[in-house]
Amino acid sequence: KGEINNFSVPGKNIKDTLNIGINLHADYDDMSIEGPVYIGSSTKIGKNVNITGPTVIGSNCVIEDNAVINECIITDYTRVGSDASLDKKIIFGNQCIDPNGNAIDIAEAKIEWLVDDMRKETHLNEMQYLLHQTALGIDTATQ
C-alpha cells in the first residue's frame, strides 16, 4: 500500500510515502496524508487538509484549510479553496477533468471560488462569498 509499481516518486521523501519539492509550507501534524503523494516546490498547504494518494500536487499551488483531495493530479499554480472536495480529478489550467475524460471549464461552471489559477485575482459574487464564509465557519449574520 502507498507505492506505485515501477515508478520512483520525485522529490525528497520526508514521511512514509510523502515526497516533496523545496520550500513547501505545511504543518505535517495538522494535515492527513495517505500516500503515495508528491507535493511540488513552493506550495502552501493549509490546516486540516486531507490528501489521499496516489496524488500529485504541482509547484506554486495553494491548498486552503480543510480541503479534501483524493486521488488527483493538480497542476502548477492551482488554488484549491477551503470548500473544495476533489475526488479523482485532474485540474489542468482552467479545466477540471473526471476519470471518464469529461472536462468542464472552471470559469464557465462558475466554480473559480473552489478551484482556480492562483495567479489571478478572483472576485466572488455575494452568494459565493456567503458560501465561502459559511464553509469556513464564519457567522455572516454578525458581519
Side-chain angles (χ1 to χ4, degrees):
K1 183 172 177 160
E3 296 179 7
I4 302 172
N5 294 331
N6 303 316
F7 180 77
S8 178
V9 179
K12 178 181 176 184
N13 181 265
I14 61 161
K15 186 176 183 183
D16 297 325
T17 55
L18 171 62
N19 286 41
I20 63 168
I22 60 172
N23 298 324
L24 177 68
H25 303 281
D27 181 350
Y28 305 109
D29 295 327
D30 202 10
M31 57 193 292
S32 172
I33 296 180
E34 184 179 331
V37 171
Y38 172 75
I39 303 172
S41 298
S42 299
T43 289
K44 182 177 185 240
I45 307 289
K47 296 179 182 199
N48 300 315
V49 169
N50 291 302
I51 303 171
T52 304
T55 290
V56 174
I57 299 173
S59 296
N60 300 298
C61 293
V62 173
I63 311 299
E64 295 180 355
D65 295 351
N66 304 309
V68 176
I69 299 171
N70 180 48
E71 299 181 13
C72 293
I73 298 172
I74 298 171
T75 59
D76 297 347
Y77 298 102
T78 299
R79 182 191 60 80
V80 176
S82 58
D83 312 327
S85 181
L86 302 176
D87 184 41
K88 298 178 181 164
K89 301 289 189 259
I90 298 173
I91 307 298
F92 185 80
N94 64 343
Q95 300 291 311
C96 179
I97 305 165
D98 72 15
N100 297 319
N102 300 313
I104 63 167
D105 183 283
I106 291 169
E108 285 180 17
K110 300 190 184 318
I111 58 170
E112 304 102 322
W113 58 287
L114 290 175
V115 179
D116 202 7
D117 183 331
M118 65 151 291
R119 296 170 291 185
K120 73 180 196 181
E121 187 174 338
T122 301
H123 298 283
L124 305 179
N125 66 34
E126 185 177 355
M127 180 58 71
Q128 292 168 334
Y129 175 78
L130 291 172
L131 286 170
H132 187 259
Q133 296 300 311
T134 302
L136 293 175
I138 298 171
D139 183 6
T140 57
T142 60
Q143 293 185 353

